[in-house]
Amino acid sequence: MARADADAGCTSSFFLRAHARGYNLLSLPSLMMIREIEDLGHEVQLHLEGGFGRLLGGDENSWTDRQRAIFEAAVGRGISGFSIHEPARMGGIPFADRLLARWEDVEYHAYQDRFMAPSMKYLSDSSGSWREGHFRVWVGREPLLHVLTHPIWWFEHSPAENY
């Protein structure tokens, strides 16, 4: 995706989880992928996951701090932005706003007003469905697009390509 965006002259933000079944943020292949994404002119930031406190104890603030520490240790730099996975399950935009205020050195979160309507057209493929049509139909119709994609939903022949 980073190569396709760069070839099209677009810059993008990629939000990666500190933990995922599909990749190990601290693995050499992941670290090399991050370097390539950044070398293509894109940014790589933190994608936060919620729910750990309910399952393992502790509060969301502690778990988000842990995820941030892991991400920053892996990439060797601080974050300037973050996105929350399934915001409604993690306290929604109010939680993201409070976290941004608490993390005073972080510049943004992906669901701030400046990244949503009317400033930008927001499109998402959540659950593998473009609810307003594939984002390519919006290119040229809107001056700025905020497109959330999940590469795991897309495959050429079989979903097994991504697992």
Side-chain angles (χ1 to χ4, degrees):
M1 297 218 39
R3 288 183 204 119
D5 288 352
D7 289 346
C10 297
T11 56
S12 298
S13 299
F14 290 82
F15 296 92
L16 302 179
R17 295 164 58 194
H19 54 84
R21 287 186 180 194
Y23 60 88
N24 175 350
L25 188 63
L26 292 166
S27 72
L28 181 59
S30 292
L31 294 170
M32 291 178 73
M33 175 195 65
I34 292 167
R35 179 174 284 174
E36 180 183 0
I37 291 169
E38 291 178 333
D39 287 348
L40 288 167
H42 307 301
E43 72 169 348
V44 177
Q45 300 296 340
L46 175 60
H47 192 49
L48 291 166
E49 189 78 40
F52 291 101
R54 288 187 302 280
L55 296 171
L56 301 172
D59 62 44
E60 288 298 337
N61 285 329
S62 172
W63 284 104
T64 56
D65 290 346
R66 290 180 188 188
Q67 291 175 72
R68 179 181 178 179
I70 292 166
F71 183 90
E72 291 179 339
V75 300
R77 61 162 169 79
I79 63 169
S80 59
F82 66 90
S83 179
I84 293 179
H85 184 70
E86 296 181 325
R89 294 180 195 235
M90 205 169 162
I93 308 308
F95 177 78
D97 289 339
R98 287 190 305 274
L99 185 58
L100 184 62
R102 194 165 64 79
W103 287 349
E104 296 174 352
D105 59 329
V106 176
E107 298 171 20
Y108 72 92
H109 70 74
Y111 293 100
Q112 285 178 283
D113 288 345
R114 63 182 167 144
F115 300 120
M116 306 304 265
S119 301
M120 292 185 188
K121 175 67 176 170
Y122 175 78
L123 300 164
S124 173
D125 69 348
S126 293
S127 300
S129 175
W130 293 102
R131 288 166 187 76
E132 296 184 65
H134 189 276
F135 77 89
R136 77 174 167 264
V137 303
W138 290 92
V139 173
R141 290 175 53 191
E142 295 285 335
L144 294 171
L145 297 175
H146 176 169
V147 181
L148 171 59
T149 58
H150 299 83
I152 197 163
W153 296 123
W154 308 108
F155 51 88
E156 193 166 339
H157 304 288
S158 166
E161 294 168 24
N162 295 328
Y163 297 97

